[in-house]
Amino acid sequence: GENVEQHPSTLSVQEGDSAVIKCTYSDSASNYFPWYKQELGKGPQLIIDIRSNVGEKKDQRIAVTLNKTAKHFSLHITETQPEDSAVYFCAASIRVSNYQLIWGAGTKLIIKP
Amino acid sequence: NAGVTQTPKFQVLKTGQSMTLQCAQDMNHEYMSWYRQDPGMGLRLIHYSVGAGITDQGEVPNGYNVSRSTTEDFPLRLLSAAPSQTSVYFCASQKQGRGEKLFFGSGTQLSVL
């Protein structure tokens, strides 16, 4: 079946440095790629998304890039802050399930002071 | 606005018991869905609904039932609980469906002994 792979599973960076999380997807018909942030004890919240007709999207310190040919997309967080510590999930829409989302396994981001 | 409200927050069941997880949203969203979250596996779609009276299966529907009699409510029923159903369950809603932001509830932590 279709899947989304996410790496790394844990990422530890110094406060102020950049963090990059990468995902690859298998369905060439996927056209929507969101990123969600989940804080402890809460449900995931959308932080940024990108559609297949766009290569890059930025929102302040967060950016997402998409390479359709290679079927991978990445989340970039610059100037990391303690409040960026959380679990981040990528997802991709899957054609065979009416474009519902298939999710990556998550990346635990730790910001060291 | 309360957003998406899930009850209960915690539940312990014995094998074979049945129960209903409640989910309500006050945003007049058409789409609602149920996910389970297991360590190292991200989110997996159980069932979803595109509107009142319409439901469909997701990735892992076995052992669960849903119904959607109103726009606001989307309960998830465990018919005969099994230890494999120990998980954190999230309900989510979307305004129109595919390619739109998911609003998640705060989750129900379920343990089946």
Side-chain angles (χ1 to χ4, degrees):
Chain A
E2 307 295 354
N3 70 328
V4 173
E5 293 189 359
Q6 183 172 347
H7 299 281
S9 56
T10 305
L11 178 61
S12 184
V13 302
Q14 205 70 37
E15 181 178 349
D17 288 350
S18 296
V20 180
I21 303 170
K22 299 181 179 181
C23 289
T24 59
Y25 60 97
S26 58
D27 184 4
S28 58
S30 293
N31 58 12
Y32 176 63
F33 308 90
W35 286 89
Y36 282 77
K37 175 183 180 182
Q38 185 178 29
E39 296 176 342
L40 198 62
K42 297 184 179 180
Q45 283 194 306
L46 179 70
I47 55 171
I48 196 167
D49 57 10
I50 192 168
R51 300 182 192 275
S52 57
N53 58 346
V54 176
E56 182 175 2
K57 184 178 179 180
K58 295 181 75 172
D59 182 3
Q60 299 181 26
R61 297 186 296 109
I62 294 172
V64 57
T65 58
L66 172 65
N67 183 327
K68 286 180 59 180
T69 303
K71 290 193 283 188
H72 68 71
F73 57 112
S74 300
L75 177 71
H76 304 254
I77 305 174
T78 59
E79 301 173 9
T80 53
Q81 300 170 3
E83 53 264 36
D84 295 330
S85 293
V87 179
Y88 292 81
F89 291 96
C90 64
S93 60
I94 301 296
R95 176 178 49 186
V96 294
S97 62
N98 196 27
Y99 290 97
Q100 294 292 331
L101 296 175
I102 291 284
W103 297 74
T107 296
K108 183 176 183 179
L109 177 62
I110 301 166
I111 308 300
K112 297 180 289 187
Chain B
N1 263 354
V4 179
T5 302
Q6 285 184 241
T7 56
K9 291 191 181 299
F10 302 95
Q11 183 71 48
V12 179
L13 293 177
K14 294 181 179 179
T15 298
Q17 287 185 315
S18 63
M19 79 158 295
T20 299
L21 307 185
Q22 301 292 343
C23 176
Q25 53 94 6
D26 61 359
M27 297 173 282
N28 201 30
H29 285 173
E30 289 295 322
Y31 280 59
M32 296 186 73
S33 49
W34 276 101
Y35 290 87
R36 59 178 289 171
Q37 184 176 39
D38 300 294
M41 299 188 73
L43 291 158
R44 290 184 292 168
L45 182 65
I46 304 171
H47 286 285
Y48 65 99
S49 168
V50 301
I54 306 169
T55 63
D56 205 348
Q57 296 182 351
E59 189 182 354
V60 287
N62 292 341
Y64 307 94
N65 270 359
V66 291
S67 60
R68 184 97 180 270
S69 56
T70 67
T71 300
E72 294 78 22
D73 300 299
F74 190 44
L76 177 72
R77 282 180 286 276
L78 280 70
L79 308 173
S80 178
S84 61
Q85 293 178 305
T86 294
S87 188
V88 180
Y89 292 85
F90 287 99
C91 177
S93 72
Q94 290 167 288
K95 187 175 181 181
Q96 291 289 344
R98 64 173 82 166
E100 293 207 3
K101 177 180 177 180
L102 281 159
F103 292 81
F104 283 90
S106 57
T108 295
Q109 188 168 324
L110 176 68
S111 295
V112 182
L113 307 178

